[in-house]
Amino acid sequence: MSAGPPHRVSALAPPWLRYGLIAGIIAFGCTLAANLAVTWMSPAELCRAGPLIIPLLSLGALFIFVVMSAAAGFATGRTVSSGPDPALAGLLVGVLGGCALFVLLPFVPSAARRFQELASACPGSGPTFFFGFGSPPPGVDFGSPPPGFVIPTPPPEAFATPPPEALARPSGTAAMLLELLGMMVTIVIGIALAVGVATVAGLVGRATRSEAQAGEMR
């Protein structure tokens, strides 16, 4: 008798690939949605939502990323009794989640313009959060100090004029390289986090599988 479709799928795609691909696609979509939400909402809607909506979206995407890594590792551990398969599932989730950052590159200018619009539309709403490497885009206001706050007087040498090159912001190729470097660091950290979480979840999955098999033998 020939093997059925599920057996053929299992032979062509190992469990870590199947579970890592499913969880990675979900993490990819959530990362895109969380980072593009600021471009979907109008400045007035962002003002009503408040400045905390942006870090909350980022934290939500990070939470789903960690949960998907754990789910992929746990499901792989429940299926495979030995080997580094849970870590491979987490690696795949981390790579797919990191690919979302590369897809977001073309949307960086529009997101920067939206932050400028938000700063002008909500002048008294407090600090505006800007997530990214380097300085925020021009025109973004990080808020004024509260009433009664006294700014300490700096020493006289603090008013010395710095050289012009010290005030110049990186632009052109330098800015692109800086952005890519920061993105690569973020991706590497995300992959390491996904592999670690998936590995631990895989151990838990294998432990529960062993308990279930021991219960069936009794």
Side-chain angles (χ1 to χ4, degrees):
M1 294 178 60
S2 60
H7 294 87
R8 286 197 292 267
V9 172
S10 300
L12 293 175
W16 69 266
L17 181 59
R18 298 198 308 271
Y19 297 127
L21 188 61
I22 295 172
I25 291 175
I26 297 175
F28 178 91
C30 291
T31 302
L32 281 181
N35 285 274
L36 291 179
V38 67
T39 62
W40 297 338
M41 302 172 66
S42 66
E45 292 173 339
L46 288 174
C47 284
R48 288 193 295 269
L52 288 178
I53 187 63
I54 299 175
L56 286 178
L57 287 172
S58 299
L59 290 176
L62 177 61
F63 175 77
I64 294 175
F65 176 79
V66 173
V67 170
M68 289 297 101
S69 302
F74 181 84
T76 304
R78 289 276 296 180
T79 307
V80 182
S81 59
S82 63
D85 291 54
L88 292 176
L91 177 64
L92 184 56
V93 175
V95 170
L96 290 176
C99 288
L101 299 182
F102 286 108
V103 176
L104 288 169
L105 269 179
F107 299 97
V108 170
S110 59
R113 287 194 300 269
R114 181 52 53 89
F115 278 114
Q116 295 177 21
E117 295 172 358
L118 179 61
S120 60
C122 312
S125 61
T128 299
F129 293 90
F130 178 78
F131 289 91
F133 291 86
S135 54
V140 176
D141 182 19
F142 282 91
S144 303
F149 180 81
V150 179
I151 301 177
T153 304
E157 58 270 14
F159 294 97
T161 303
E165 58 272 11
L167 299 177
R169 295 180 58 188
S171 59
T173 305
M176 181 60 68
L177 290 177
L178 183 62
E179 188 74 23
L180 289 175
L181 178 61
M183 188 174 298
M184 291 303 299
V185 171
T186 303
I187 292 174
V188 170
I189 294 175
I191 291 175
L193 175 64
V195 171
V197 171
T199 301
V200 175
L203 295 176
V204 176
R206 285 171 177 169
T208 57
R209 178 188 180 184
S210 300
E211 292 177 358
Q213 291 177 344
E216 292 176 357
M217 294 176 60
R218 291 174 183 172

